[in-house]
Amino acid sequence: MDIVELLKAALFGLVEGVTEWLPISSTGHMLLLDQFVSLDVSEDFWNMFLVVIQLGAILAVCVLYFRQLNPFAPSKTPEERRGTWSLWAKIVVACIPAAVVGIPLDDWMEEHLSGPFVIAAALIVYGVIFIVIEHVREGRAMARAAELADAPRPKHLKAQEEAVLPQATKAELADADQPVQTIEELDMRRAVGIGCFQILSLVPGTSRSGSTIIGGLLLGCTRTVAAEFTFYLAIPVMFGASVLRLAKFFMAGNALTVAGGSVLAVGCVVAFVVSILAIRFLMDFVRRHDFQPFGWYRIVLGALVILYFLVVR
């Protein structure tokens, strides 16, 4: 067992855990990292590892949101159990569009859209989209807040609002202006719409979390709701993708050796631990901030990727 390969696997797990949940593209970062730090494995194992390492990230969601996702929790009332089953129905239905498009196109996508320039373009384009969406949402919220401040109301109410309003960030005002404030208020129509946006993530560099968060923002969700539903959608999508990739790996006549299993296990464990920290960070961050910093990060990274492969490579 090569300790260097295990350290490499841990590095890939670290990158997976951070980038899977932040809207900056985990697959894009993993493919780019492979340009500099490659595992000493076969091509079939690498293609399997790139997907199956996500199982560690999935487990983090299951642990952090166990009660919310468990319809059998003894502490839940009958009404809460019905709400949980309803949530699972939305999750499953929202996954159908990506499955219908992604399963038949999986091999074609892997062959034609895994290049660095495709990844860079996706990073930049969706970075711009994040910035534009946030500017529009916050602009509308600020305009409505100004209208409210000028509207005639009893003096004591107006004084209270004027004391609270300046303390709110633009991001908080934009969220307060949205029709879907909690995950329970997310209806089936919006859930399916977010699922359709998930199709965009089939292109490496787009980001599965990024595409679904964009869908949630455009469909009237707060940042917290959009991010939380994105986490939930990941469970069946990433589990299904992992099972599919493992099946392809074994059907091609490959076997999982002790060394290969150790590399995969280390990557998954590190991805699990780091994912817990990344999810907690993101949920805390979006309560008072918007997604524009992630948009700018995507643009800068995409530009650096293009520069590197044009000049250095």
Side-chain angles (χ1 to χ4, degrees), residues 99-228:
V100 169
V101 176
I103 292 176
L105 293 180
D106 182 60
D107 291 334
W108 187 90
M109 292 280 188
E110 181 182 323
E111 182 179 353
H112 294 88
L113 297 179
S114 295
F117 293 107
V118 173
I119 294 172
L123 285 169
I124 293 171
V125 168
Y126 287 96
V128 172
I129 291 174
F130 264 115
I131 293 170
V132 170
I133 288 175
E134 292 289 25
H135 269 300
V136 171
R137 279 166 45 102
E138 291 171 5
R140 289 174 178 171
M142 293 295 287
R144 289 195 179 99
E147 291 176 2
L148 180 62
D150 293 335
R153 292 180 312 290
K155 289 184 178 181
H156 70 283
L157 291 179
K158 190 165 184 176
Q160 291 175 1
E161 291 168 357
E162 289 176 349
V164 173
L165 188 60
Q167 300 175 13
T169 65
K170 290 182 180 180
E172 289 174 320
L173 288 174
D175 268 354
D177 199 42
Q178 303 308 310
V180 182
Q181 292 289 315
T182 66
I183 201 73
E184 290 77 19
E185 295 175 358
L186 181 67
D187 56 33
M188 184 64 76
R189 179 180 63 83
R190 285 190 173 92
V192 173
I194 293 173
C196 290
F197 273 90
Q198 192 168 222
I199 297 173
L200 300 173
S201 67
L202 297 174
V203 179
T206 299
S207 170
R208 190 200 59 79
S209 61
S211 61
T212 51
I213 286 173
I214 285 174
L217 296 180
L218 290 175
L219 293 173
C221 299
T222 66
R223 297 176 184 86
T224 302
V225 171
E228 187 175 334

Side-chain angles (χ1 to χ4, degrees), residues 36 58 80 82 106 127 163 184 220-221 223 236 252 259 275 285 295 313:
F36 305 95
I58 297 173
E80 288 175 326
R82 286 192 295 271
D106 182 60
E184 290 77 19
C221 299
R223 297 176 184 86
S275 288
F285 180 86
R313 297 297 293 270

